[in-house]
Amino acid sequence: MAQIGVGCVAAAKLAAEMVNEGRHQVARRAKLNLILSDVQSDTTVTRTETDRLITGNKLSAIHGCFASALTLIASEVAERAKCR
């Protein structure tokens, strides 16, 4: 799944750049700061990394994993942490 992940990261970086440069209508005061993590297609790593990202950062949003099984795990962790 690494090849798909590379494309997803490139798209996220481009989108953040467009927003931060004002090329997209989002709150002008807000700047996007991407925090990337590789869950290695592993359910245990997904759970651990999601928890680490939530507890170690003041997050405004979380973007799911590519694989739905991993996204389900990440969303459960986020829901328990009341991170929406």
Side-chain angles (χ1 to χ4, degrees):
M1 309 240 356
Q3 188 174 13
I4 295 167
V6 169
C8 290
V9 167
K13 286 180 177 180
L14 178 60
E17 179 184 309
M18 290 174 69
V19 168
N20 290 341
E21 290 177 357
R23 291 189 274 162
H24 192 277
Q25 293 299 324
V26 176
R28 296 279 183 197
R29 297 174 300 188
K31 295 292 181 191
L32 295 180
N33 179 33
L34 298 180
I35 302 171
L36 305 172
S37 179
D38 181 2
V39 296
Q40 304 166 23
S41 299
D42 182 289
T43 56
T44 303
V45 175
T46 300
R47 188 174 310 282
T48 303
E49 277 298 285
T50 304
D51 186 53
R52 182 187 70 79
L53 290 171
I54 290 170
T55 58
N57 300 281
K58 186 178 178 182
L59 302 178
S60 299
I62 298 175
H63 186 278
C65 310
F66 178 77
S68 57
L70 301 176
T71 299
L72 179 61
I73 292 168
S75 66
E76 289 172 353
V77 173
E79 184 70 26
R80 266 196 303 274
K82 301 201 184 317
C83 181
R84 298 178 183 186

